[in-house]
Amino acid sequence: MQESSLFAYGILVNKEVSHRFMSIANLNRPADAFEQLETEDGVRQGVCHIRIQQRTGRKTITTVQGIGTEYDLKRIVQYLKKKHSCNGTIVEHPEYGEVIQLTGDQREKVKDFLIKVGIVNESNCRVHGF
């Protein structure tokens, strides 16, 4: 998605965005397993994990981890809360860093939003759960 559309959502903090274009040289298998997640600048694009956790009874929580630090998580949560009529917060996890928590099963909606806006690539987005 265009950089201007990211600013329209108010999500992008850092203006410098690099894109990796497909070429015949990129078809070789990388020696390092994580090399394919690096951009041209050498910055690693982490894998975004979207999970569902069962609470009491029928209640569930959707967690999103692995969104880059250049994005404003608070604005992403505000947009998702308003768009999908759910509650949400940002929790600091000692191992995973900042994790977004949303009430209910919002996995596919969050994935579609993150890919549509261009925050994560479809190949770097993993949806877990039943």
Side-chain angles (χ1 to χ4, degrees), residues 16-111:
E16 296 180 18
V17 176
S18 64
H19 300 284
R20 185 175 201 174
F21 296 104
M22 181 73 174
S23 71
I24 197 122
N26 292 339
L27 295 177
N28 296 336
R29 187 176 182 149
D32 181 16
F34 296 104
E35 183 180 343
Q36 62 189 358
L37 299 176
E38 291 184 3
T39 60
E40 292 175 353
D41 299 335
V43 178
R44 290 201 173 186
Q45 293 180 345
V47 178
C48 177
H49 296 278
I50 303 172
R51 296 184 174 91
I52 188 167
Q53 295 178 352
Q54 187 76 32
R55 282 184 43 219
T56 58
R58 295 175 20 191
K59 307 288 184 182
T60 58
I61 296 176
T62 302
T63 60
V64 182
Q65 126 197 17
I67 295 178
T69 57
E70 66 269 12
Y71 299 105
D72 189 1
L73 294 181
K74 187 175 180 180
R75 290 213 177 174
I76 293 173
V77 170
Q78 283 178 346
Y79 178 81
L80 291 171
K81 285 170 59 174
K82 194 171 200 176
K83 179 76 174 172
H84 303 298
S85 301
C86 63
N87 198 6
T89 187
I90 301 171
V91 178
E92 184 66 35
H93 193 275
E95 184 179 348
Y96 303 126
E98 290 185 327
V99 177
I100 297 175
Q101 287 185 345
L102 300 168
T103 58
D105 186 5
Q106 312 292 338
R107 291 175 294 173
E108 290 302 319
K109 295 174 186 175
V110 171
K111 179 183 176 184

Side-chain angles (χ1 to χ4, degrees), residues 1 9 48 50 79-80 83-84 106-120 122 125 127:
M1 189 169 241
Y9 281 102
C48 177
I50 303 172
Y79 178 81
L80 291 171
K83 179 76 174 172
H84 303 298
Q106 312 292 338
R107 291 175 294 173
E108 290 302 319
K109 295 174 186 175
V110 171
K111 179 183 176 184
D112 293 341
F113 168 74
L114 294 176
I115 292 170
K116 181 181 116 183
V117 174
I119 295 174
V120 296
E122 189 168 3
C125 189
V127 177

